[in-house]
Amino acid sequence: MNEIKTAGARSGRNARVLARTNPAPIYLPTLDRHVGPIDLLDQDGVDRIHNAAMTILETTGIEFRDAIALADWKRAGAQVEGSRVRIGRDMLMDLISTVPPSYRMHARNPRHTIDVGGRNSIFANAYGAPFVYGLDGVRRPSQLADAHNFFKMAQMSQAMHVPGILPVEPQDIPVPQRHLDLVSSALILTDKPIMGSVLDQTAARDTLAMVRIVFGEDFVDQNVVLTSLLNCNTPLVWDETMLESLRVYAAANQPCLLTPFVLAGASAPASPLGGVTLLIAELLAGIAYSQIIRRGCPMVLGVAIMGVSMKTGAPMMGSPEPGLMNLLVGQMARHYKLPWRSCTMWTGSKSPDLQAGFDSANSMWPVLLAGCNFIVHSAGFLEGALAVSYSKWAQDARQLENYHRFFSGLKEENLDALLGDVAQIGPGGHFLGTDHTRENPMQINPLQNNDSFEQWFEDGAKTADEIGRIEAARILDNYVQPPMPGDQAAALAEFVARKRLEYQE
Amino acid sequence: MNEIKTAGARSGRNARVLARTNPAPIYLPTLDRHVGPIDLLDQDGVDRIHNAAMTILETTGIEFRDAIALADWKRAGAQVEGSRVRIGRDMLMDLISTVPPSYRMHARNPRHTIDVGGRNSIFANAYGAPFVYGLDGVRRPSQLADAHNFFKMAQMSQAMHVPGILPVEPQDIPVPQRHLDLVSSALILTDKPIMGSVLDQTAARDTLAMVRIVFGEDFVDQNVVLTSLLNCNTPLVWDETMLESLRVYAAANQPCLLTPFVLAGASAPASPLGGVTLLIAELLAGIAYSQIIRRGCPMVLGVAIMGVSMKTGAPMMGSPEPGLMNLLVGQMARHYKLPWRSCTMWTGSKSPDLQAGFDSANSMWPVLLAGCNFIVHSAGFLEGALAVSYSKWAQDARQLENYHRFFSGLKEENLDALLGDVAQIGPGGHFLGTDHTRENPMQINPLQNNDSFEQWFEDGAKTADEIGRIEAARILDNYVQPPMPGDQAAALAEFVARKRLEYQE
């Protein structure tokens, strides 16, 4: 019932007609940042955080609640007592030294291949919301059809580099089968780089089997075609489920976003320096373990930092301290020469309103200023990540284009030509018709309403929420499915059908 | 009919009761930025803009459409032909060399005195909107009562350093009398530093007369108690009305925010480098002229940059190119060692919705990253600066507190104490009760709703628009008028009454 059709290598008549009437979107490449990053610390400050993190790992240590990991650590020479692992700083720094500072993440369509690390940033879809606000604005449990829709919207978005793998948590599909539907539909409905399922090691293995069908076994062994999201239980616990998936992916040379989920003030210290020190300890331990599995496997230092209200205990997005923590994490990631990941565009608001706009922007700016490489949750979140709104998704995706433009920085301009214009136009004139103006068009967000009040009122007085819903419907109407070779499509379908039967037993 | 009562040096019983039940707000000092500024250009880039701007002033020249200014320029040695003034770069750089890099702007209550320039930033109120969205959310022409309300709200806001002088354009007061009502009520209803009227030279003189009543003649001659906003007609025209006011204020040693109003793509080139080059030429010419009036008078390099949609001709706020232009202007201002001013928190939206949040935040971040000193329009704007919303004002003012916190940067933290906590709490624990958490509380925006959907729904499903209106009403209910000595109040009232009669004739 949840089957989706693949588009053949030659797309059908309808697809051709659509492609003619709706020109293909202009996809934005990996963002090559020319604004920032901002470093808050001097070398002494970096050393203080580093040394404190090392002291945590050497004295308090960290829990790896997984028998295989404990045996691996023991063999590697760490001090293991029960599930507590204490790691000396020399050993730790040696292990992380083989993580590449950047990697290329391949899409099945090479034009969508991206670079992760260094001065590059990419935007990835929201992840894991159990609720959606539909095209009608009504809140309901997420379904597989929503995941399909968000894959389609990510495919059509100029700036959404990575459709992810779990744009919503589809409540209508049994848990053991979700990854089959999600991974196969992400591969079929988009030709951008996708993420891997981390439900458990079976899901991770199935994900790998499916990308091998599409990319080929040898290619997957030598190239990155997935990046998967694994959480650490802050403070200082890596659990079995996550470590099992990490082993599957690292062995296959596929990086993970190793990410402590931080409620600053609860699961971690409330403060920038203290909180980041704890994170760094957790992260370096996890990344070091990945190198015990497969030396040289790319890996990503990840953070998901929100504040917690000391009054109500609720998570807070868009507040200033997590922003400062992102700046610190970015500086430490550069110190360790590791690509890194953060979260953004989220809000505690229950509707795409003024708060949602402020929270989203106020969580995006620090992340980009911090030089983040892999930016997750780039569109759609409401309710502190519990819900995705079609309207906000469409609005956020357009904002990404503006951030891409700003952080690309200046373009070369011919100032001599400008001087000629000024001399010709003179005082009191205007620049609307000059070559310089035509050659340097300003970016326009088509969802931003800048009409007069009277015009806006006459056109129905639409708020951003309504405009976003209309845009989401428009994107879905215009969606063109990327073609997939017939043998790949058949092999994928066969794999999914076979596994689905297996997991039903 | 529009008389307002002054609070005596000893406030009345009601004020005392209010002060007890509503503790005085914690006012935020001048923001001492420890994040940024971001410089986009190398020295060569700075030199290119500088040289191109000098070339404009030397070859095309600039219009001063004012007989006195033209005579002043001629006497000073510039080349004057008709209303066109051509200024050599040596003369220009000599003139601007006497502008102080920063100044202290005095409030009648010294605790609200602020610093303008260098690493400092201050937030000033919105300015000049002919329409308001009232406490009921309904749009109507602005009235003097609204100006009074926004002065009161600025007085009560933690982060609104400057209440301004024209928070709205009061349509119910005859134009020649507006400045009397506005300046006197700003002085009476707030004890923060105010701005001066620039309607014409009479209004500027009356403004000075009123601040002299409050601060004393000698004090005003030697200290800054006003900063007033004067616009240049981009491209390359300074008109008579503005120059007359500039002469009045500069002669009195009171700085102005000399500000080309830029629609990038129309009144100036659409591009960052080209647009900023033109602005710099206009600004330096205006600032140089201020030093012919009174050498050493503080003066502020100002910009108000918005984009213009090439599709509709409408101004666009919150788009990326004006953000980049702000970064360039900031770097040039630092090059010339001049304090500078920009605009922010504005939007083309017609309601305090998601677009308004994004536009506002996306115009604030670049301005703060650019190291702007005097940040105008910090709360309330909708409709591309044509309207102020009570709701958005209240919401924006809380956002300012978050920006203040973020840009203040890191605080000193005791990492050794943290290590002790980590050792004691260990893996899997929590940090809610530690001294470190208590001593480093996270900032909470009380208008940000982070409750669960269910809780929020039960509480009436309020959007940010409604929450802002409730907050605005709360601020006005809690307003406490600052006391003013009886003789000052009487002299102000006498001055206003006398002038009002005069302007009625």
Side-chain angles (χ1 to χ4, degrees):
Chain A
M1 74 188 146
N2 286 301
E3 298 303 326
I4 49 171
K5 293 209 178 94
T6 47
R10 295 184 150 199
S11 45
R13 188 182 169 273
N14 285 347
R16 284 198 302 276
V17 170
L18 261 178
R20 265 202 305 278
T21 49
N22 291 284
I26 304 150
Y27 293 111
L28 292 170
T30 302
L31 166 57
D32 177 17
R33 275 178 285 101
H34 279 76
V35 180
I38 288 180
D39 287 330
L40 289 185
L41 301 171
D42 55 15
Q43 188 57 48
D44 181 58
V46 171
D47 292 343
R48 275 177 70 205
I49 289 184
H50 171 71
N51 287 324
M54 294 299 107
T55 302
I56 289 171
L57 292 178
E58 287 173 341
T59 57
T60 298
I62 182 165
E63 301 263 317
F64 280 76
R65 296 183 177 165
D66 172 77
I68 298 174
L70 291 168
D72 287 340
W73 273 117
K74 203 165 197 169
R75 234 185 349 266
Q79 185 193 331
V80 178
E81 267 180 88
S83 56
R84 191 73 62 99
V85 179
R86 292 185 177 80
I87 313 161
R89 62 190 70 197
D90 293 343
M91 177 183 177
L92 188 114
M93 293 305 288
D94 175 63
L95 282 169
I96 70 164
S97 70
T98 42
V99 180
S102 67
Y103 63 89
R104 178 151 288 185
M105 185 175 173
H106 292 269
R108 71 179 176 91
N109 179 347
R111 79 191 277 209
H112 295 311
T113 289
I114 54 175
D115 290 308
V116 179
R119 244 174 27 187
N120 299 316
S121 292
I122 63 94
F123 299 119
N125 209 344
Y127 196 100
F131 296 97
V132 290
Y133 291 78
L135 286 169
D136 54 1
V138 176
R139 185 183 194 264
R140 54 177 171 71
S142 306
Q143 300 185 327
L144 183 62
D146 298 308
H148 289 174
N149 281 339
F150 290 117
F151 286 145
K152 292 176 180 177
M153 288 165 71
Q155 172 69 11
M156 297 300 281
S157 162
Q158 287 193 27
M160 189 63 77
H161 299 99
V162 174
I165 197 58
L166 193 65
V168 294
E169 189 73 69
Q171 315 266 315
D172 54 340
I173 304 293
V175 172
Q177 296 183 24
R178 282 185 193 165
H179 69 281
L180 296 173
D181 289 305
L182 290 164
V183 176
S184 62
S185 62
L187 284 167
I188 292 167
L189 295 174
T190 87
D191 57 3
K192 293 184 172 183
I194 70 163
M195 297 169 75
S197 174
V198 296
L199 177 72
D200 55 25
Q201 55 185 328
T202 305
R205 283 205 193 90
D206 287 348
T207 302
L208 283 169
M210 287 186 265
V211 294
R212 283 176 181 137
I213 289 171
V214 172
F215 289 90
E217 298 225 357
D218 290 348
F219 189 86
V220 171
D221 188 59
Q222 294 304 317
N223 296 281
V224 173
V225 301
L226 292 169
T227 299
S228 308
L229 200 171
L230 291 171
N231 286 128
C232 166
N233 295 339
T234 297
L236 295 170
V237 178
W238 287 99
D239 74 20
E240 189 174 21
T241 310
M242 291 291 152
L243 291 169
E244 284 178 347
S245 290
L246 174 60
R247 275 194 294 273
V248 172
Y249 284 121
N253 204 29
Q254 301 302 312
C256 296
L257 312 170
L258 296 183
T259 306
F261 183 83
V262 175
L263 289 167
S267 65
S271 64
L273 289 166
V276 168
T277 298
L278 182 66
L279 290 182
I280 292 295
E282 295 168 342
L283 282 162
L284 295 185
I287 293 172
Y289 180 56
S290 76
Q291 301 300 298
I292 294 178
I293 309 302
R294 178 162 170 166
R295 285 220 82 147
C297 175
M299 205 52 56
V300 182
L301 183 155
V303 290
I305 307 171
M306 55 198 86
V308 63
S309 165
M310 293 295 148
K311 279 188 185 158
T312 65
M316 301 192 297
M317 276 96 172
S319 56
E321 292 87 353
L324 292 169
M325 291 171 82
N326 270 289
L327 291 186
L328 292 176
V329 170
Q331 187 169 6
M332 295 307 295
R334 285 186 289 283
H335 173 70
Y336 296 119
K337 298 189 174 56
L338 293 170
W340 73 286
R341 167 267 169 155
S342 192
C343 301
T344 188
M345 293 296 247
W346 50 9
T347 176
S349 183
K350 268 61 66 181
S351 69
D353 64 354
L354 184 83
Q355 177 186 342
F358 270 118
D359 286 356
S360 297
N362 290 342
S363 61
M364 178 58 98
W365 280 92
V367 161
L368 279 165
L369 290 168
C372 185
N373 304 116
F374 200 110
I375 304 177
V376 181
H377 312 323
S378 296
F381 265 164
L382 290 177
E383 291 188 26
L386 288 181
V388 165
S389 147
Y390 278 80
S391 168
K392 184 161 182 287
W393 201 105
Q395 288 276 5
D396 288 349
R398 287 295 187 181
Q399 293 291 334
L400 298 183
E401 297 168 21
N402 275 5
Y403 292 122
H404 196 287
R405 172 68 195 93
F406 181 88
F407 280 87
S408 295
L410 300 174
K411 295 171 184 166
E412 191 55 37
E413 290 179 45
N414 184 345
L415 280 188
D416 289 335
L418 168 81
L419 289 176
D421 290 345
V422 170
Q424 199 190 326
I425 290 163
H430 69 77
F431 292 77
L432 280 167
T434 69
D435 288 347
H436 193 275
T437 298
R438 276 196 300 270
E439 286 159 14
N440 294 278
M442 309 204 70
Q443 187 142 316
I444 297 174
N445 176 348
L447 305 190
Q448 221 181 8
N449 187 303
N450 293 305
D451 293 338
S452 68
F453 176 83
E454 292 72 17
Q455 183 67 49
W456 172 78
F457 193 80
E458 201 174 293
D459 291 346
K462 295 190 191 73
T463 63
D465 184 6
E466 292 169 78
I467 292 169
R469 290 207 298 273
I470 294 166
E471 169 73 355
R474 189 197 66 78
I475 298 171
L476 289 170
D477 278 348
N478 289 352
Y479 170 73
V480 179
Q481 191 172 322
M484 176 177 265
D487 55 336
Q488 288 179 19
L492 259 185
E494 186 277 327
F495 180 87
V496 170
R498 178 162 50 85
K499 288 288 173 180
R500 187 174 282 145
L501 265 178
E502 191 177 310
Y503 301 148
Q504 271 169 351
E505 280 160 10
Chain B
M1 76 191 142
N2 285 302
E3 299 303 328
I4 48 170
K5 294 212 177 93
T6 47
R10 293 182 150 200
S11 45
R13 186 180 169 278
N14 285 346
R16 284 197 304 275
V17 170
L18 261 178
R20 265 201 305 277
T21 48
N22 291 284
I26 303 151
Y27 292 110
L28 291 170
T30 304
L31 166 57
D32 177 17
R33 274 178 285 100
H34 279 75
V35 180
I38 288 180
D39 287 330
L40 288 185
L41 301 171
D42 56 15
Q43 188 56 47
D44 182 58
V46 170
D47 292 344
R48 275 177 71 205
I49 290 185
H50 171 71
N51 287 324
M54 294 299 107
T55 302
I56 290 172
L57 292 178
E58 285 173 343
T59 58
T60 298
I62 182 164
E63 301 264 317
F64 280 77
R65 296 183 177 166
D66 171 79
I68 298 173
L70 291 168
D72 287 340
W73 273 119
K74 203 163 197 171
R75 235 186 347 267
Q79 185 193 333
V80 178
E81 265 181 89
S83 57
R84 192 72 64 98
V85 180
R86 293 184 176 80
I87 312 162
R89 62 189 71 198
D90 293 343
M91 178 184 175
L92 188 116
M93 293 307 288
D94 175 63
L95 282 169
I96 70 163
S97 70
T98 43
V99 180
S102 67
Y103 63 88
R104 179 151 289 184
M105 185 175 172
H106 292 269
R108 70 179 176 91
N109 179 348
R111 78 190 275 208
H112 293 311
T113 290
I114 54 174
D115 291 309
V116 178
R119 244 178 21 191
N120 299 315
S121 292
I122 62 95
F123 299 119
N125 209 343
Y127 197 99
F131 296 97
V132 291
Y133 291 78
L135 288 169
D136 55 3
V138 176
R139 186 183 192 263
R140 55 177 171 73
S142 306
Q143 300 185 326
L144 184 62
D146 298 308
H148 289 174
N149 281 339
F150 289 118
F151 286 146
K152 291 176 182 176
M153 287 164 72
Q155 172 68 13
M156 298 299 282
S157 161
Q158 288 191 27
M160 188 62 77
H161 298 100
V162 174
I165 196 59
L166 193 65
V168 294
E169 190 72 70
Q171 315 265 317
D172 54 339
I173 306 292
V175 172
Q177 295 182 23
R178 281 184 193 164
H179 68 283
L180 297 172
D181 290 305
L182 290 165
V183 177
S184 62
S185 62
L187 283 167
I188 291 166
L189 295 174
T190 86
D191 57 3
K192 292 184 173 183
I194 70 164
M195 296 169 77
S197 174
V198 295
L199 178 70
D200 55 23
Q201 56 184 326
T202 305
R205 283 205 194 91
D206 288 348
T207 302
L208 282 169
M210 287 186 264
V211 294
R212 282 174 181 139
I213 289 169
V214 171
F215 288 90
E217 300 223 356
D218 290 349
F219 189 86
V220 171
D221 188 58
Q222 295 304 317
N223 296 282
V224 173
V225 301
L226 291 169
T227 299
S228 308
L229 198 170
L230 292 172
N231 285 128
C232 168
N233 295 340
T234 297
L236 296 168
V237 178
W238 287 99
D239 75 18
E240 188 173 22
T241 311
M242 290 290 153
L243 291 169
E244 285 178 347
S245 290
L246 174 60
R247 275 195 294 274
V248 172
Y249 284 121
N253 205 30
Q254 301 302 313
C256 296
L257 312 171
L258 296 183
T259 306
F261 183 85
V262 176
L263 289 167
S267 66
S271 65
L273 289 167
V276 168
T277 299
L278 182 66
L279 289 181
I280 292 294
E282 296 168 342
L283 282 162
L284 294 186
I287 293 172
Y289 180 56
S290 76
Q291 301 300 296
I292 295 177
I293 309 301
R294 179 163 171 166
R295 284 219 82 145
C297 175
M299 204 53 55
V300 181
L301 185 155
V303 290
I305 308 171
M306 56 197 87
V308 63
S309 165
M310 293 294 148
K311 279 191 186 156
T312 65
M316 301 192 298
M317 277 93 172
S319 56
E321 292 87 353
L324 292 169
M325 291 172 82
N326 270 289
L327 292 186
L328 292 176
V329 170
Q331 186 169 7
M332 295 309 292
R334 285 185 290 282
H335 173 70
Y336 295 120
K337 298 189 173 57
L338 293 170
W340 73 286
R341 166 266 169 154
S342 193
C343 301
T344 187
M345 292 297 244
W346 51 10
T347 176
S349 183
K350 269 59 66 183
S351 68
D353 64 353
L354 184 83
Q355 177 187 343
F358 270 118
D359 286 356
S360 298
N362 290 343
S363 61
M364 178 58 99
W365 280 91
V367 162
L368 279 165
L369 291 167
C372 185
N373 304 117
F374 200 108
I375 302 175
V376 181
H377 312 322
S378 297
F381 265 163
L382 290 177
E383 289 187 30
L386 288 181
V388 165
S389 148
Y390 279 81
S391 168
K392 183 161 182 288
W393 202 105
Q395 288 277 5
D396 287 350
R398 287 295 187 182
Q399 293 291 335
L400 297 183
E401 297 167 22
N402 275 7
Y403 293 121
H404 197 288
R405 172 69 195 92
F406 181 88
F407 281 87
S408 295
L410 299 174
K411 295 171 183 167
E412 191 54 37
E413 289 180 46
N414 185 345
L415 281 188
D416 289 336
L418 167 82
L419 289 176
D421 290 345
V422 170
Q424 199 189 327
I425 290 163
H430 69 78
F431 292 77
L432 280 166
T434 69
D435 289 346
H436 193 274
T437 298
R438 275 196 300 272
E439 287 159 14
N440 295 279
M442 308 204 72
Q443 189 142 315
I444 298 173
N445 176 348
L447 305 190
Q448 220 181 8
N449 187 304
N450 293 305
D451 294 338
S452 69
F453 176 84
E454 290 74 16
Q455 182 67 49
W456 173 78
F457 194 80
E458 200 174 295
D459 291 346
K462 293 189 192 75
T463 63
D465 184 5
E466 292 170 77
I467 292 169
R469 291 208 299 273
I470 294 166
E471 169 74 354
R474 189 197 66 78
I475 297 171
L476 289 170
D477 279 348
N478 288 353
Y479 170 72
V480 179
Q481 190 172 321
M484 177 177 266
D487 56 336
Q488 286 179 18
L492 260 186
E494 185 278 327
F495 179 87
V496 169
R498 178 161 51 84
K499 288 287 173 181
R500 186 173 284 144
L501 265 177
E502 193 178 308
Y503 302 146
Q504 273 169 348
E505 280 161 10

